Amino acid sequence: MGQDSEWQPRILGFLCRWCSYAGADLAGTSRKKYPPSIRVIQVPCSGRVDPLFILKALRLGFDGVLVSGCHPGDCHYQTGNYFTRRRMAITKRFLEYMGIDPRRLQVSWVSAAEGAKFAELATEMTRELKELGPNRLFTGEEQANGTKTAP
Amino acid sequence: MEQRLRLEAKALLEQGKVSCVIGFEVGSLRFTTTPLITGDRDATGRLVLNPFMANNLSVYLPGIKEKVAVVAKGCDSRSIVSLIQDNKVAREDLVIIGVPCSGIIDLAKVEGLVDKDRDEIDDITRHGDKVLITVNGDKREYPVREVLFDNCLACETPTPQEYDILLGEPTAAAGDESRKAGQEKIARLKAMAPDERWAFWRSEFERCLRCYACRNICPACFCERCFVEETEPTWVMPIPRWQDNLLFQVTRNLHVAGRCTDCGECERACPVAIPLRSLAREMYDIVSELFNYRAGTDKEAPPLLTCYEPTDVEDFIR
């Protein structure tokens, strides 16, 4: 995907099946408009998301990753999202330390009733990533020994 | 102190309180030690204590099926406590022989200081705050701060907090100046622009062989099956390309968050000298800043990522 005026970021969304996924569904059924840049993977709980998933997504060339779960106190499993919160706090900080723009990882709480919030979030994130430009962290350039790296 | 260690170890074996002692003996190369794991009471005479005993012996503990005695410096005892928190070892199966530590000597720093290979150095002795290095009969004295490992310079707990036997008097934690020296590499990295920092790590990980020495030596890396060996899905390609090397190391650090005690073993084990401690210590500091959590300081506390506070940091969530 070249960087031109038509360039659309690709976002990988990990959405909790009990809230954010239903929220995204509601955004669709209530005909809210948001850019088609987000690809969704349903997870049983946002607590399922290992930081490995986020790095792997960036490694594969996604421009941004969204992890979205239930609001604190609303977790279907009582406390899953609290663990997500801790894990994502350190992940975001550590990615920043590595030199990855922290805007490439977004974490949000979206309930099943917040279709509008989801649409807004997807729009906002797409806009931010457009400003940031494509993710060329792991790809693009030739290596010192002249071999091209596979994406 | 060395004598007392030998006597204590021998007595523990003779009384049948433990079936095995894990400590250090003189290594095959000069100025090194090697782990000694023995159930033989006469072999306890080979145990040593010196400023070269760098290894963190707690790495041998997960999965032990008998009572053992283990020699532990400050950082090692914290690793042991961390393993107890994770139910990897039971406190009652251990006799912890605590050794108040005043820092371990980094041979690479010594070599740089006197501009000689370790084989050309006659002797290295430590006297308090000074280290005496003899080269060709010529004695030179340096402040000990110049030869200690970075993690020792920044050490918060030189004296074991969890022990059954403590050999010698507690040593004081490092002062501010020493701590700053130990954090210098990280401070330099943080001063860089993000792109520069990424380029730095990229060039470091181009050297990585993916030998997994860092993982194997890490007491916090105790998974029986590591994600890098998963084949369905293949999270990380086994070919050592920098992208996968970096992904492996970043994920490893995220997985040991709240378990890492900054013992510095990953960096010492690395055959291609990647500054892995600059990753590990930063994670240690992030965890301590965000959650005021210090790995291995409380054996009753749940591990960092298995618990939460309702008031945990949330300002990054949208």
Side-chain angles (χ1 to χ4, degrees), chain B residues 99-150:
Chain B
V99 184
C101 171
S102 42
I104 301 298
I105 293 178
D106 182 350
L107 276 182
K109 284 190 183 176
V110 173
E111 286 176 333
L113 212 55
V114 297
D115 197 25
K116 290 276 184 220
D117 194 76
R118 61 195 70 181
D119 298 330
E120 301 169 288
I121 298 170
D122 301 327
D123 198 18
I124 306 172
T125 48
R126 186 177 169 167
H127 305 281
D129 284 346
K130 302 276 183 227
V131 62
L132 208 61
I133 305 171
T134 317
V135 186
N136 296 330
D138 178 21
K139 285 187 181 180
R140 297 181 221 179
E141 203 180 62
Y142 297 94
V144 76
R145 186 179 298 168
E146 289 184 36
V147 297
L148 295 184
F149 279 105
D150 281 354

Side-chain angles (χ1 to χ4, degrees), chain B residues 1-2 4-5 8-9 12 22-24 48-49 53 57 68-78 80 91 94-102 157-171:
Chain B
M1 240 168 47
E2 206 166 70
R4 188 171 157 216
L5 166 66
E8 296 276 11
L12 285 167
I22 307 177
F24 298 94
V48 294
L49 292 178
M53 43 180 218
L57 300 176
V68 302
V70 58
V71 175
K73 307 182 291 291
C75 49
D76 309 345
S77 88
R78 286 178 63 181
I80 295 171
R91 182 65 184 91
L94 298 177
V95 175
I96 303 173
I97 306 174
V99 184
C101 171
S102 42
T157 46
T159 309
Q161 292 165 327
E162 182 74 26
Y163 57 82
D164 298 288
I165 301 164
L166 188 68
L167 301 174
E169 293 302 309
T171 41

Side-chain angles (χ1 to χ4, degrees), chain A residues 68-138:
Chain A
S68 190
C70 311
H71 286 269
D74 288 350
C75 180
H76 183 78
Y77 309 100
Q78 319 301 338
T79 56
N81 50 358
Y82 290 117
F83 300 111
T84 313
R85 187 165 68 180
R86 279 208 157 179
R87 206 175 297 143
M88 291 305 136
I90 59 168
T91 306
K92 219 168 145 91
R93 283 284 298 273
F94 200 65
L95 293 188
E96 197 175 349
Y97 176 68
M98 293 305 293
I100 300 176
D101 196 298
R103 284 173 289 178
R104 296 210 185 272
L105 168 62
Q106 296 292 351
V107 187
S108 71
W109 304 143
V110 172
S111 79
E114 291 176 321
K117 182 177 176 185
F118 181 81
E120 203 180 298
L121 186 71
T123 316
E124 263 304 283
M125 203 175 158
T126 305
R127 192 184 56 73
E128 277 174 21
L129 287 171
K130 268 188 179 169
E131 273 172 29
L132 204 58
N135 164 17
R136 296 210 191 288
L137 290 166
F138 289 99

Side-chain angles (χ1 to χ4, degrees), chain A residues 34-81:
Chain A
Y34 63 90
S37 48
I38 187 161
R39 276 75 162 164
V40 173
I41 293 181
Q42 191 192 60
V43 285
C45 172
S46 57
R48 172 67 184 92
V49 181
D50 188 309
L52 170 62
F53 299 177
I54 294 157
L55 279 147
K56 180 76 174 175
L58 294 172
R59 166 83 174 91
L60 290 173
F62 279 96
D63 301 296
V65 180
L66 171 69
V67 178
S68 190
C70 311
H71 286 269
D74 288 350
C75 180
H76 183 78
Y77 309 100
Q78 319 301 338
T79 56
N81 50 358

Side-chain angles (χ1 to χ4, degrees), chain A residues 48 50-53 55-57 59 71-72 78-79 82-101 106-110 117 120-121 124-125 128 136-139 141-144 148-151, chain B residues 185-186 189-190 194-195 197-198 201-202 205-206 227 234-237 241-244 246-247 249-251 253-255 257 278-280 282-283 286-287 289-291 293 303-314 316-318:
Chain A
R48 172 67 184 92
D50 188 309
L52 170 62
F53 299 177
L55 279 147
K56 180 76 174 175
R59 166 83 174 91
H71 286 269
Q78 319 301 338
T79 56
Y82 290 117
F83 300 111
T84 313
R85 187 165 68 180
R86 279 208 157 179
R87 206 175 297 143
M88 291 305 136
I90 59 168
T91 306
K92 219 168 145 91
R93 283 284 298 273
F94 200 65
L95 293 188
E96 197 175 349
Y97 176 68
M98 293 305 293
I100 300 176
D101 196 298
Q106 296 292 351
V107 187
S108 71
W109 304 143
V110 172
K117 182 177 176 185
E120 203 180 298
L121 186 71
E124 263 304 283
M125 203 175 158
E128 277 174 21
R136 296 210 191 288
L137 290 166
F138 289 99
T139 52
E141 301 114 316
E142 277 189 350
Q143 276 191 317
K148 278 255 182 186
T149 54
Chain B
K185 269 193 204 165
I186 296 170
L189 275 170
K190 282 173 140 176
D195 290 352
R197 219 156 41 222
W198 183 257
W201 286 118
R202 175 191 164 155
F205 282 107
E206 272 170 2
F227 70 94
T234 309
W235 295 107
V236 184
M237 292 298 284
R241 285 189 301 210
W242 73 267
Q243 293 95 330
D244 289 302
L246 192 146
L247 188 134
Q249 198 57 242
V250 173
T251 310
N253 272 284
L254 283 157
H255 284 179
S278 298
L279 291 176
E282 178 58 15
M283 182 54 95
I286 289 173
V287 164
E289 182 198 320
L290 292 180
F291 306 110
Y293 183 93
L304 174 81
L305 295 176
T306 67
C307 63
Y308 64 89
E309 291 292 333
T311 52
D312 277 342
V313 53
E314 207 180 35
F316 64 96
I317 294 176
R318 309 171 63 144

